[in-house]
Amino acid sequence: MDGRSTSCPTVARRLALATVVSLATVVSATAALAGQCSADKGGLDVTKPNTAAAKDVTDKVLASIDLSRETVALAAHHLRIRQLEINPGGIVPWHSHGDRPALIYIIKGEVYEYASNCAVPILHRAGEVAPETSATAHWWKNTGTETVVLISADLLHDQNDHNM
């Protein structure tokens, strides 16, 4: 025995998370990709880092799996799913996805992304998925009048990384 719990609640949580991850995969395959930078506006570091702090945004981890204990045995990584809510005027501060790939599903509202590889803001709308890869460094802002709700599924490497 390896000491890991296989209680019904644990198995149920893992099954639920596996279902959510599978759903995210299906959604990302079928939903429209979120707004993308037009080819004539793209480039390297065309938008510089923003120093604005997080403002009017909540980040709630819904579930997490320690991948070092799973068959994939990805040491020091967690697969997690979070819900973020960005109030009107709210900001998700500048951050990188250098070692933390993610898929962001926009549930409600519209939000702008200011990405290092795009000279203009990128509008993301409800029902779209925004991929965040190692090439992604950006910040987000809700310029609308309603709270934006996002679901983020990511591979967290650094447990002390509190960037959004």
Side-chain angles (χ1 to χ4, degrees):
M1 198 59 101
D2 63 7
R4 287 185 284 176
S5 173
T6 57
S7 68
C8 287
T10 299
V11 171
R13 279 193 299 268
R14 287 184 178 173
L15 181 57
L17 187 55
T19 300
V20 169
V21 171
S22 296
L23 178 60
T25 302
V26 170
V27 166
S28 68
T30 59
L33 281 180
Q36 298 180 5
C37 188
S38 61
D40 65 328
K41 299 295 182 187
L44 292 176
D45 296 323
V46 292
T47 295
K48 300 301 179 197
N50 182 301
T51 59
K55 176 184 172 194
D56 292 328
V57 60
T58 60
D59 175 4
K60 178 180 177 185
V61 176
L62 302 175
S64 177
I65 295 174
D66 181 350
L67 294 177
S68 68
R69 297 177 180 226
E70 298 300 319
T71 304
V72 296
L74 190 54
H77 282 78
H78 284 245
L79 170 62
R80 68 180 180 173
I81 190 159
R82 303 176 296 149
Q83 178 173 319
L84 285 85
E85 295 184 3
I86 310 169
N87 292 326
I91 293 173
V92 174
W94 183 271
H95 61 280
S96 168
H97 289 270
D99 69 349
R100 186 172 52 93
L103 291 171
I104 306 298
Y105 178 66
I106 294 84
I107 293 177
K108 176 184 164 197
E110 295 183 349
V111 62
Y112 281 97
E113 173 188 12
Y114 300 83
S116 63
N117 60 354
C118 192
V120 296
I122 303 166
L123 177 61
H124 300 288
R125 294 184 169 106
E128 298 176 334
V129 175
E132 297 179 328
T133 67
S134 60
T136 305
H138 60 172
W139 65 286
W140 298 62
K141 184 172 185 178
N142 179 355
T143 61
T145 58
E146 70 175 320
T147 298
V148 173
V149 180
L150 313 170
I151 293 292
S152 171
D154 66 356
L155 291 178
L156 179 64
H157 178 250
D158 179 358
Q159 290 296 313
N160 296 314
D161 179 2
H162 295 288
N163 288 325
M164 309 226 176

